[in-house]
Amino acid sequence: MNAGPESLARSLVCIECGAAHALDYRLECAKCRGLLAVVYDLDVLRRRGPAVFTGHGLWRYAPVLPIADPAHRVSLGEGGTPLIECPRLARHFGVRRLLVKFDGANPTGTVKDRTSATAVGAALQFGFTATSVVSTGNAGSSIAAYSARAGLRAFIFAYERASAPKLLHMSATASDLVLYKGVYDDLIGLWDRLVEERLFFDCGASRNAYKQEGKKTLAWEIGEQTGWRPPDVVVAPVAVGEIFIACARGFREMHEVGFIERMPTMVAAQATRANPIARAWSDGGRLQPQKIGYTVAEGLAAGNPGRKGEWVLHLLREHGGLAGHAEDEEILAAQRLLARTEGIWAGPTGAGSLAVLARLLADKRLDPGQTIAVIVSETGLKTEAELPPRAGVAFDDESLRRLVLERLRP
Ligand SMILES: *Cc1c(COP(=O)(O)O)cnc(C)c1O
Ligand SMILES: [Zn+2]
């Protein structure tokens, strides 16, 4: 093995029945088919503190990630994204302090690079030569890039309406790009059967415990970037729920080893057009899969988040979290607001969490006297939207000066 900090991952445990399993490629509990989670021996962290973390980016947190051999820690420079203090946006909302964790700064422009690093790392760890994912765009784009980086074949099944920049990126990086019609939820059942046959490594979001771990580094980074005094509230976008589950667990691990005194309140943010978790949370009922249509927040378009969705609901209820949703128009307004007030250009999926925060504040469901962090999960540079009118003006000396002077007039 190459040099590099040791992974503290020790086993897999079923979150339903508690049965322990070896750290193998296994997608569900052998006893009850429940979801599996990686268990770590965190003693070293308790004893040595944050000094166990070395290097930069996502793999700085290798001790709390499940990839044992440093040679399998595939990287394009993901993680280590900025936690941006947003005073103008805070003033706009009347919030004491507002921070944006901008994951659009990742190599392929989205939070997905965190999970691609550990998913493709796990594919190498378990000796697979091909990966696959069904994607509305972001996951396909990211898994394709990381698979190429690792020298693996990648079967990317991408939504035919994915944005042009995402399709361009996927066709450039994927060994095998296949477009599909209809919604994600329709294809995923068929694809899962090929996973069972082990034709490729499951880089999907629904069951893979190794993949999800990468997103935990969002929480670890927020912890470290705030000097281990995390915000009171963290707003996380939720489709299938990996970000939410992983962040909640990251904060819990930090708390267990004594790095932080209390865990933030987690808010689950969904698009109204794909809001099964937010709906079940406010009804107090069970998670009901939804037939969904198009939402501008393409990365949040999951009508059937499955067992991870149920787990998000469980965590919300157990730990006193909060769930909310926002309409497409509110999401686009939040996208413009973030760009204008702080210069952060997010895609609609990325701005979804901010739109939900705006609504929760307007509805007085969140105390504005707190420090609130919003996870903005994608760049705006990969989305397509209607262009502003392209009619240009031909200037001369005089007309150019006049235009600027007129606009500068108070
Ligand atoms: C996939 C995705 C999400 C949703 O993440 P889950 O972990 O599936 O809930 C949020 N934002 C972006 C940009 C995404 O691509
Ligand atoms: Zn079980």
Side-chain angles (χ1 to χ4, degrees):
M1 275 213 314
N2 300 347
E6 190 201 346
S7 165
L8 303 172
R10 295 294 178 261
S11 58
L12 295 172
V13 70
C14 171
I15 65 166
E16 312 285 345
C17 77
H21 299 77
L23 271 180
D24 298 328
Y25 177 59
R26 172 180 288 288
L27 297 171
E28 56 186 27
C29 173
K31 279 197 183 150
C32 79
R33 310 198 63 191
L35 277 183
L36 297 173
V38 183
V39 181
Y40 298 82
D41 175 5
L42 298 174
D43 249 7
V44 180
L45 288 184
R46 250 177 234 114
R47 280 186 280 110
R48 294 192 42 218
V52 297
F53 300 132
T54 55
H56 300 285
L58 176 129
W59 294 110
R60 173 173 176 76
Y61 304 98
V64 291
L65 295 174
I67 308 303
D69 183 346
H72 296 152
R73 294 174 188 165
V74 52
S75 178
L76 287 167
E78 58 296 322
T81 59
L83 183 66
I84 304 171
E85 187 80 50
C86 293
R88 273 174 299 278
L89 198 56
R91 223 171 298 132
H92 176 91
F93 288 126
V95 166
R96 191 174 80 83
R97 194 171 169 220
L98 192 56
L99 302 163
V100 163
K101 178 67 173 164
F102 185 49
D103 248 32
N106 277 305
T108 79
T110 78
V111 64
K112 294 285 191 283
D113 293 341
R114 295 182 187 273
T115 33
S116 297
T118 52
V120 175
L124 292 172
Q125 177 158 289
F126 298 113
F128 280 74
T129 54
T131 62
S132 183
V133 72
V134 180
S135 168
T136 56
N138 286 339
S141 205
S142 181
I143 290 292
Y146 279 78
S147 299
R149 175 78 178 139
L152 300 181
R153 193 104 182 244
F155 287 91
I156 308 297
F157 296 93
Y159 181 41
E160 61 176 359
R161 284 185 65 180
S163 77
K166 287 176 196 166
L167 284 174
L168 278 172
H169 185 209
M170 284 186 271
S171 65
T173 51
S175 64
D176 301 84
L177 174 63
V178 183
L179 300 189
Y180 69 87
K181 270 193 212 310
V183 294
Y184 172 89
D185 298 318
D186 297 337
L187 182 59
I188 197 72
L190 306 176
W191 179 86
D192 264 339
R193 287 185 215 153
L194 306 190
V195 167
E196 300 295 335
E197 288 179 45
R198 298 201 170 210
L199 295 184
F200 39 60
F201 186 80
D202 176 4
C203 287
S206 54
R207 296 185 292 172
N208 190 325
Y210 296 91
K211 175 180 179 245
Q212 177 176 298
E213 291 301 280
K215 283 180 177 163
K216 207 170 65 177
T217 54
L218 261 173
W220 279 97
E221 285 177 16
I222 292 172
E224 196 164 20
Q225 286 168 319
T226 54
W228 309 110
R229 281 181 299 275
D232 303 302
V233 177
V234 173
V235 185
V238 174
V240 167
E242 283 188 322
I243 298 174
F244 188 95
I245 295 167
C247 283
R249 212 153 55 77
F251 286 120
R252 202 184 63 212
E253 287 172 354
M254 270 172 255
H255 189 251
E256 270 175 30
V257 297
F259 288 15
I260 62 175
E261 272 174 25
R262 43 170 193 78
M263 297 197 286
T265 299
M266 294 283 301
V267 176
Q270 297 207 288
T272 304
R273 295 185 188 180
N275 67 352
I277 295 169
R279 202 192 272 184
W281 187 80
S282 49
D283 294 351
R286 287 181 61 89
L287 188 71
Q288 304 286 354
Q290 263 172 19
K291 263 267 184 255
I292 57 166
Y294 183 77
T295 164
V296 290
E298 291 174 5
L300 300 186
N304 185 8
R307 279 179 289 183
K308 286 197 179 168
E310 282 166 16
W311 190 241
V312 172
L313 208 49
H314 167 82
L315 290 172
L316 283 168
R317 287 172 176 157
E318 191 98 319
H319 301 291
L322 209 58
H325 55 96
E327 293 285 359
D328 278 15
E329 299 71 37
E330 297 172 85
I331 292 172
L332 294 173
Q335 182 189 28
R336 287 190 297 270
L337 178 70
L338 184 60
R340 265 315 148 71
T341 54
E342 302 289 356
I344 300 169
W345 181 225
T349 301
S353 49
L354 184 64
V356 169
L357 172 65
R359 213 198 244 207
L360 292 174
L361 288 166
D363 294 347
K364 309 226 179 313
R365 286 169 62 202
L366 267 180
D367 170 8
Q370 309 182 92
T371 297
I372 299 174
V374 183
I375 297 171
V376 171
S377 54
E378 84 175 350
T379 175
L381 298 174
K382 275 179 99 176
T383 49
E384 260 174 335
E386 217 172 303
L387 283 173
R390 274 185 187 269
V393 179
F395 288 108
D396 61 20
D397 233 18
E398 186 43 41
S399 60
L400 183 61
R401 163 166 295 105
R402 201 173 340 111
L403 176 124
V404 173
L405 287 177
E406 270 170 20
R407 296 214 173 179
L408 283 175
R409 206 175 293 148

